[in-house]
Amino acid sequence: MIIVGAGAAGLVLAAELRLAGVRPLVLERQPQRREVARANGLGGQIVELLRYRGVLERLEAAASPVRAAPSLPFGGTQLDLSRLAEPAYYALGIPQPVLERTLAEYATELGAEIREGHEVVGLREDTAVTVDVRGPDGPYQLTARFVVGCDGGRSRVREVLGVPFPGTTYPEVNRLVEATVPDSVRRNGDLDVPGLGLLRQGFTRTDSGVFAFGTIGTDVLLINTVEQETTEYDDLSPMTEAEFQASVRRVLGVPLPLGEVRRLSRYQWQGRQVPEYRVGRVLLAGDAAHLLASSGASLNLGMLDSVNLAWKLAAAVHGWAPPGLLDSYHAERHYAGSRALLQTSAQAALRRGHDPAADALRTLFQELLTDEQPLHRLAAAIGGTDLRYPAPGSDHPLAGTFARDFPLTTDEGPSSLASLLSPGRPVFLDLADRPELRAAAEPWAPRVALRTAKTALRPADALLVRPDAHIAWAAPLDSPVDPAGLRDALAMWSGAPEGAGNRLTTDDHQE
């Protein structure tokens, strides 16, 4: 198994494959990791999934604790989540280089191999996939049953496959810094800019663009300019402080006094998605499959692609994947990408207008956000927590949704659903002492963790939860249920039971 690209999506895929008993090789073209942070944190469903795997604690140790986000940017406006009775969006503030270093350490500890400075320059598929690599010691070839391109928005894998990448490149440039500002400029969370006056935290529109800022921690500001511009910049070309200050002058008309500058980055928005996430034995994930037209979703979306894909690829490698399992990766994650593209494209439309009608739209939009329901809906859309996959054969309201954690009491003592899912295996959980359901699930015991527990927060009599924490099947509370439905769901997601001709091994495979 070869993964092309050692960004967050590729590293999560490598770790998840190791949990599933497959030894992946990760090829990264850069000889060393870039220290420029293109993203500054994670939020929404991926944060919960990382907690289930037991990885969140080490990410917090490397950066900062997870917190309930008090607000979120949305298309040049702010979603004030502090008004809600319960948190709607949890975020982890972590610079992308720190995230990737920590994930690389985790994947390596699990047994994944990462080769930096090894660039994939070509590939071709027959009964397997042959990959042409340019390494530090010269060119060489590798062969694998499957290859996954996690190599970013300018994916070489996607290019070699000839997969189209339709969508829009928006004619605007975002420039961003993390920096302190002198005490003389700060005014109770706002900025008193010499030669201009008071700027409120959030978004300020001028005839030349948008200036925005918010706080990170106690003394650091995240400061952003947006200008209409058609220049295409090389992602590897760093932005300087002088370039940022020149942008501030164009937008505000005056420079902005800065103290210590901790991050400088420049980026352009694109809204794109490939029509197919799978082409034979080659698959695409992360930015190689989709680019989003706004911040706050792309990194999360790509990592969730990898969690969805890994256990399905492992099933194919181990030889027990049921028909259609690997194809369900495209069906589910293309849908997830389409949803993310929908809300980020809406943000692009909302933020890009600069006439009175656009101002009226933003004003009306902010008025709608004084109601709790729209706030919850938008926060869920940004975080991906509103996603529900199709669950054939189960009409339970929970089927297809992400399994929320809840406390359990087992024969071994206190536990939780999250702890049961930490090994990355599917779980059948009997919460109401249903022996007929346990008997139906027993033939799948070599692949599915069968557990019995009690809870005061029983959402169903029994749950079948996939490795990616989505519920495949649920038994209604205190109601008779045909075990055949459970058996069908087990066969759909975990293959034929023992003795039906499929291998049930979990031994490591180098593919």
Side-chain angles (χ1 to χ4, degrees):
M1 174 74 62
I2 294 175
I3 300 168
V4 183
L11 295 169
V12 168
L13 179 59
E16 290 285 303
L17 285 168
R18 286 302 301 131
L19 291 177
V22 174
R23 294 194 301 272
L25 170 62
V26 184
L27 301 175
E28 168 55 49
R29 70 184 182 94
Q30 295 294 335
Q32 58 188 17
R33 298 197 171 276
R34 289 185 295 174
E35 292 302 314
V36 175
R38 291 180 58 81
N40 204 42
L42 302 173
Q45 187 170 299
I46 188 59
V47 172
E48 192 76 343
L49 197 286
L50 292 170
R51 183 174 71 83
Y52 287 13
R53 290 293 191 263
V55 185
L56 187 58
E57 192 171 297
R58 74 160 66 195
L59 293 174
E60 289 181 303
S64 61
V66 169
R67 66 186 182 96
S71 65
L72 288 173
F74 192 92
T77 67
Q78 286 291 120
L79 310 184
D80 182 7
L81 304 182
S82 66
R83 300 176 51 255
L84 299 175
E86 295 183 359
Y89 187 96
Y90 284 95
L92 170 67
I94 183 169
Q96 190 167 347
V98 178
L99 171 68
E100 292 177 355
R101 279 198 302 270
T102 309
L103 290 175
E105 292 168 1
Y106 171 60
T108 302
E109 289 170 13
L110 290 175
E113 180 183 354
I114 302 171
R115 297 182 187 175
E116 295 180 333
H118 292 252
E119 181 181 6
V120 171
V121 294
L123 58 83
R124 52 200 171 278
E125 180 188 349
D126 193 356
T127 56
V129 185
T130 300
V131 177
D132 299 317
V133 186
R134 184 186 297 126
D137 299 322
Y140 64 96
Q141 291 184 343
L142 294 170
T143 301
R145 284 183 61 188
F146 296 98
V147 170
V148 184
C150 298
D151 51 339
R154 299 186 180 186
S155 168
R156 177 62 175 164
V157 173
R158 188 187 64 238
E159 178 185 335
V160 171
L161 287 175
V163 174
F165 203 27
T168 301
T169 298
Y170 293 92
E172 59 188 22
V173 176
N174 289 256
R175 293 177 174 87
L176 184 143
V177 302
E178 287 179 20
T180 61
V181 297
D183 290 341
S184 59
V185 177
R186 302 195 69 166
R187 291 289 184 273
N188 298 319
D190 299 324
L191 295 178
D192 189 0
V193 181
L196 181 64
L198 193 66
L199 288 180
R200 298 292 185 188
Q201 187 169 176
F203 296 87
T204 298
R205 293 179 177 275
T206 73
D207 292 339
S208 301
V210 177
F211 177 88
F213 71 94
T215 58
I216 302 176
T218 56
D219 61 345
V220 179
L221 296 183
L222 187 66
I223 309 167
N224 176 219
T225 64
V226 184
E227 296 180 87
Q228 299 298 303
E229 189 176 342
T230 58
T231 306
E232 289 196 15
Y233 291 91
D234 185 347
D235 289 346
L236 300 180
S237 173
M239 185 182 74
T240 64
E241 185 176 344
E243 179 185 333
F244 179 74
Q245 285 286 18
S247 178
V248 172
R249 287 190 188 94
R250 288 192 296 270
V251 174
L252 294 181
V254 296
L256 176 68
L258 296 178
E260 179 189 1
V261 176
R262 302 182 182 181
R263 171 189 171 193
L264 289 157
S265 63
R266 178 204 315 107
Y267 51 94
Q268 293 168 285
W269 295 125
Q270 297 188 58
R272 299 184 181 277
Q273 186 179 33
V274 295
E276 295 292 335
Y277 282 30
R278 179 188 180 191
V279 180
R281 294 183 175 273
V282 184
L283 302 102
L284 299 170
D287 285 355
H290 45 68
L291 293 172
L292 301 180
S294 189
S295 60
S298 185
L299 193 63
N300 308 328
L301 184 67
M303 294 169 71
L304 288 169
D305 288 345
S306 296
V307 176
N308 182 284
L309 175 59
W311 62 279
K312 298 172 182 179
L313 269 177
V317 170
H318 289 312
W320 53 258
L325 180 65
L326 196 50
D327 286 332
S328 74
Y329 166 66
H330 165 77
E332 294 179 345
R333 294 311 296 169
H334 190 276
Y335 170 66
S338 297
R339 292 289 302 169
L341 197 59
L342 175 69
Q343 62 93 359
T344 54
S345 297
Q347 290 194 53
L350 193 63
R351 74 170 181 261
R352 284 179 50 75
H354 291 282
D355 60 10
D359 291 338
L361 175 62
R362 283 185 287 268
T363 299
L364 180 60
F365 184 78
Q366 292 276 200
E367 289 180 5
L368 291 174
L369 295 180
T370 59
D371 296 333
E372 289 195 5
Q373 194 274 344
L375 272 178
H376 275 293
R377 182 179 289 272
L378 284 178
I382 294 170
T385 57
D386 62 342
L387 194 65
R388 180 177 182 176
Y389 294 141
S394 181
D395 57 2
H396 194 283
L398 291 176
T401 66
F402 187 81
R404 297 300 165 196
D405 193 21
F406 54 89
L408 300 169
T409 301
T410 68
D411 291 341
E412 292 79 29
S415 184
S416 67
L417 180 61
S419 65
L420 298 184
L421 289 168
S422 63
R425 296 186 67 198
V427 174
F428 171 71
L429 182 59
D430 179 5
L431 295 169
D433 192 18
R434 300 289 295 266
E436 79 281 13
L437 297 179
R438 294 198 302 274
E442 183 62 33
W444 281 269
R447 276 187 229 128
V448 179
L450 308 184
R451 298 288 185 268
T452 300
K454 296 184 182 301
T455 180
L457 304 173
R458 183 160 54 105
D461 274 8
L463 295 171
L464 175 61
V465 187
R466 306 182 335 180
D468 59 0
H470 280 265
I471 297 170
W473 180 90
L477 290 168
D478 304 316
S479 300
V481 61
D482 186 354
L486 172 59
R487 286 192 291 267
D488 289 345
L490 285 160
M492 174 178 291
W493 301 110
S494 298
E498 188 171 9
N502 281 346
R503 289 187 291 151
L504 291 172
T505 179
T506 56
D507 295 338
D508 283 355
H509 278 69
Q510 178 75 61
E511 297 287 347

